[in-house]
Amino acid sequence: MDANITKALNDKLYDKRKSGALELEGLIRDALAAADHERIQKIVHQLCHEYAYAVHQPHARNGGLIGLAAASIALGPEVARYLEEIVPPVLACFSDQDARVRYYACESMYNIAKVAKGEILVYFNQVFDALSKLAADSELSVKNGAELLDRLIKDIVAESAASYVSVLHTHSDTAADAADEDEPSEDLPTAFSLQRFLPLLEQRINVINPFTRTFLVAWITLLDAIPDLELVTYLPRFLGGLFKFLSDPNTDVHTATQVCLDRFLNEIKKIARIKRGIAESRKSAGDDGLNKSTSSFRSGAEAESETDSVAPHGRDSLDEKDSASIVSQSSTADEEKSSTGEEDYIPGQDVQIDYPKILDILVTFLSDSSDEVIQLTTLRWIDSFFEICPEDIVPFVPRLLSHVLPTMSHEGDSVRQAANRVNTSLMDYIMSLSDDNRRFDSAASGQLQLPNSLSALGKELTGLERRDSNLSSRLLKTVIREQAADTRSADGKGTRTPTPAEERAPSPRAGPELDYQAAVNALTLQFLNEHEATRVAAIAWLIMLHRIAPSKILSVEDGTFPALLKTLSDPSEAVVTRDLLLLSQISKNSDDSYFTSFMINLLKLFCTDRRLLETRGNLIIRQLCVTLSAERIYRTMADCLEKDEDVEFASIMVQNLNNNLITAPELADLRKRLRNLDSRDGQSFFVTLFKSWCHNAVATFSLCLLAQAYEQAYHLLQIFADLEMTVNMLIQIDKLVQLLESPVFTYLRIQLLEPEKYPHLYKCLYGLLMLLPQSSAFAALKNRLNSVSAIGYLHIAPRTYTGSVSSQQGPTASGFERSNRLKAREDGGVKWVELLEKFKTTQEKARRAQRIASLGEDVGLAPIQEKEKPSAPNTAARGANLRPNSPALTAKPPPIPVAQAQGHKSKSSLSNLGRFAGGVAGRKRK
């Protein structure tokens, strides 16, 4: 360079440096006109190494920057061959400590890029990295300068990135181009390459500065808008960083990122629709071609005209870019392409997206992030993937269940609703897979399909109205209908409303099979979740999976069974109801040994968790009787309780079973069966219950009333006189009297009108009256008997058996008054005397156990001390000796409602009976 130019470029004043740059520009123009490239090269080298790289001379650096810009402007299109030396020193000045140097570097690069245009894309990575750092610069002027440069680079990229080939590459291949002018230009590498850029983007996507994040999102949006680049193909490489941007407190970052993610999601949806439309169009076009080619062999000339309209090369393409019109206009497209002989390209039809990697990122963010916006966006993406690629979701089902179900109890209403939508979509898709498999199996082997209302059941289990108090009853009714449909499956081929997953287009490829064991493990862990909605959804999933594949999950040896039993203690009634439904399903698909094991474990659970028995025992028993055979449940439990050594628990359990047997609407059929002892099955069932019911005297007596075995009940009352009448026993009698006024015993009250036919019924009721203290129950029973007393006194039937039968001997089989019902039992029927002996033996055993427990005596000493025990006075006599005007007997508290007769103690009865027992105990001490 001339001396005056070098002196001007080193000046501290900007105007002098600018004038020197203008002189330099003219010098280079003259050298370029003279083709003196060697001098131009020396000038560029001098500007770079003596000026731009002069770190400790800021004025010289500024002069070098403006000189390089002037040289680039003078070179014009020829600048491409010098960019390799010009760009690096300018980029180095972007990181200078002096803000003015950084600003001049932006200005210089702006002028260089404006002249170089597409050639600057060769150095895009370096320029992008420098701009990303300047986006967060503390100096406003530098930031503004970087923003201007950024806009210019974006314009160049948007215009040339997809197709621009560097001049240097073009010149190197001049000989090849001259030899073959028809060689396509696509063989040459473009100046911009996504493969080279993405590693830099992956590195920079982890920044925290909001300005840099906004810069990155803007560039990603721009690159995605260039159709030929297909940035969406590489989405998994930077999707995680974009999701992190959603948690940025800066509103601009959050808004820009949300718009960018929405754009990507819509693009993925469009690509999926295009591919589905093309696949369906090809299929339909292939079918039409087959039909028309077949008709050509039949009709000759007509067939030729038909096949001309459907040419082979027109079957594999479409002429519409709008995915919504692909299928509807496929025939028109085929006809147009057959006439032109060309195949139309639809943007997006060959784009390959790695859906499993994207799903893996989404599930990871759903589990690791606690930010509500990230969770909501992740759930929305996952729900959209059921439309895009449902078959790719199957491997992620266990992980999704682990994270989606807890999110269903999120504090945010929007997140909770999104999680419910994902859960419903996932359940619908898994059920649709089962429907497809079962339809295939049905066609192959004639097996039955899944119950038609299972989808509705799944939606009900996971719906937003899960807290409705009537949900349990609706669920059980649904299951009853399904189980009834199972038994009538021969004609169960009705129409079924398709699930949302079935309404979608068929998946182009078969997905992997669901890992049932991993899904069950994930669901079992949700039993520990503190939120009711999550636990309800987890059991709903287990119910659905067990109905789909009962042989693959929750088998007899499965370790999940103890967890299901423990869940019966859950504080939520909805959870317990569904847990019982699942246990019932497992029992229905297992053998008798499993059912027996289930009943034994249930009784053990009740024995160890008395609070569960008190609060949920009746609910559990009733729900099991709805979903399973009530008689089978009662028979199995009765056999287990008969052999139970814990007489106290056996008595409590029998009392609960008996109360349900009398009051539960679900056991109405069982009560009708007990009232009919003419059949062998009825007699066998009665005997089984009686042997177990012997653990509880009042329950045994009420069982006889229920079975209309009144004489047997009367003889039980005679044995009651020899038993120690405890407060608990009197309370049970009090409740029984109240139950006698309920609709269940309407037939018994009507039978009071026929004393000649049911003479022992009067004795039973009067016996109860003698056992009771004069409480509200005593008054109620007395009023009932007084209302028919005239009939009873006028029609007292004689004894129908000879000889005196003491309470110790019991009646003979021929001693019953209802010969038409009991005559058939004389040979191999009910052995009433043996049942009475069984009752006395069991009660004696219970008395000993109670005495040992209360006094802490040794088992071996119990028989000796029994001999010293005075015989209990007759209860009726004790009642007669009480003062009639005693406050404990004259007080008449309100009667206990029938609805409370099960599992709830009446305070009034407890008070009266407590006073009564205290008075008796005082007299005994005297």
Side-chain angles (χ1 to χ4, degrees), residues 24-33 35-41 43-45 47 67-86 111-112 115-116:
L24 176 63
E25 182 180 347
L27 178 64
I28 293 180
R29 287 183 189 276
D30 295 339
L32 183 63
D36 191 358
H37 295 288
E38 183 178 356
R39 184 178 183 184
I40 297 174
Q41 184 67 40
I43 292 175
V44 171
H45 185 271
L47 288 171
L68 288 174
S72 300
I73 293 173
L75 288 171
E78 294 295 325
V79 75
R81 64 176 65 186
Y82 302 101
L83 285 179
E84 187 175 357
E85 192 168 4
I86 292 175
N111 290 312
I112 295 170
V115 176

Side-chain angles (χ1 to χ4, degrees), residues 602-610 613 644 646 649 653:
L602 182 60
L603 290 175
K604 288 181 180 179
L605 180 64
F606 284 149
C607 184
T608 54
D609 191 351
R610 297 297 176 87
L613 178 59
D644 199 335
D646 189 348
F649 167 72
M653 194 66 211

Side-chain angles (χ1 to χ4, degrees), residues 687-705:
V687 171
T688 301
L689 293 186
F690 190 96
K691 290 180 179 179
S692 177
W693 262 229
C694 288
H695 285 289
N696 189 291
V698 180
T700 311
F701 178 78
S702 61
L703 177 67
C704 292
L705 293 184

Side-chain angles (χ1 to χ4, degrees), residues 497-511:
T497 303
T499 62
E502 294 171 339
E503 293 176 350
R504 304 180 184 120
S507 56
R509 58 187 175 86

Side-chain angles (χ1 to χ4, degrees), residues 597-646:
S597 175
F598 173 34
M599 292 294 110
I600 292 175
N601 283 288
L602 182 60
L603 290 175
K604 288 181 180 179
L605 180 64
F606 284 149
C607 184
T608 54
D609 191 351
R610 297 297 176 87
R611 184 175 179 274
L612 173 65
L613 178 59
E614 294 175 2
T615 57
R616 293 285 171 75
N618 295 331
L619 171 67
I620 293 173
I621 294 170
R622 292 187 180 190
Q623 301 294 1
L624 286 177
C625 289
V626 170
T627 54
L628 295 174
S629 170
E631 180 178 352
R632 188 183 181 192
I633 291 174
Y634 266 73
R635 279 183 179 273
T636 307
M637 284 193 171
D639 290 338
C640 297
L641 291 172
E642 182 185 358
K643 305 169 185 176
D644 199 335
E645 296 296 329
D646 189 348

Side-chain angles (χ1 to χ4, degrees), residues 277-295:
I278 291 176
E280 293 175 5
S281 177
R282 288 176 177 176
K283 182 179 178 180
S284 60
D287 295 340
D288 293 343
L290 178 61
N291 295 334
K292 293 179 180 180
S293 61
T294 303
S295 64

Side-chain angles (χ1 to χ4, degrees), residues 669-710:
D669 294 337
L670 211 57
R671 289 193 291 271
K672 291 180 181 178
R673 184 164 187 178
L674 274 175
R675 289 171 57 184
N676 182 16
L677 295 183
D678 294 334
S679 64
R680 292 286 183 180
D681 291 339
Q683 295 174 10
S684 173
F685 183 50
F686 174 79
V687 171
T688 301
L689 293 186
F690 190 96
K691 290 180 179 179
S692 177
W693 262 229
C694 288
H695 285 289
N696 189 291
V698 180
T700 311
F701 178 78
S702 61
L703 177 67
C704 292
L705 293 184
L706 200 62
Q708 302 184 67
Y710 300 133

